[in-house]
Amino acid sequence: MSDVLPDRLSVDPDSPFHDADLLARGVGIRFKGEEKTNVEEYCVSEGWVRLAVGNRVDRRGKALTVKLQGPVEPFIKGE
């Protein structure tokens, strides 16, 4: 598997941007220079991340998120 990460990635299995094999390897996100652990989805080219808001869920059982704008740097953990 290549070490090139996609422009957009989501942890939601229903999303077309979900990649279970890549997520199993461990993907980390630096947002505005700070490592984030609660990222649900990111897009490098558009410069945004969706962060989970605590343990709250919507009526469908999906995590509530907030979309933040800024520089996004994905990386493989342990490399």
Side-chain angles (χ1 to χ4, degrees):
M1 185 176 279
S2 73
D3 290 338
V4 178
L5 293 170
D7 177 58
R8 190 166 174 180
L9 186 65
S10 174
V11 298
D12 181 11
D14 296 332
S15 172
F17 303 105
H18 181 75
D19 185 349
D21 296 333
L22 185 59
L23 291 170
R25 290 180 62 193
V27 176
I29 302 294
R30 271 188 222 95
F31 179 68
K32 294 185 178 179
E34 188 176 319
E35 189 170 341
K36 298 290 185 182
T37 58
N38 59 342
V39 175
E40 294 288 318
E41 186 174 3
Y42 74 82
C43 183
V44 175
S45 64
E46 295 177 14
W48 57 262
V49 294
R50 285 198 182 275
L51 301 175
V53 181
N55 294 331
R56 309 220 32 203
V57 294
D58 65 8
R59 62 183 175 208
R60 294 179 187 97
K62 306 253 184 210
L64 288 180
T65 61
V66 61
K67 185 176 182 180
L68 301 176
Q69 301 283 330
V72 180
E73 303 169 35
F75 62 94
I76 302 290
K77 291 183 180 177
E79 290 186 6

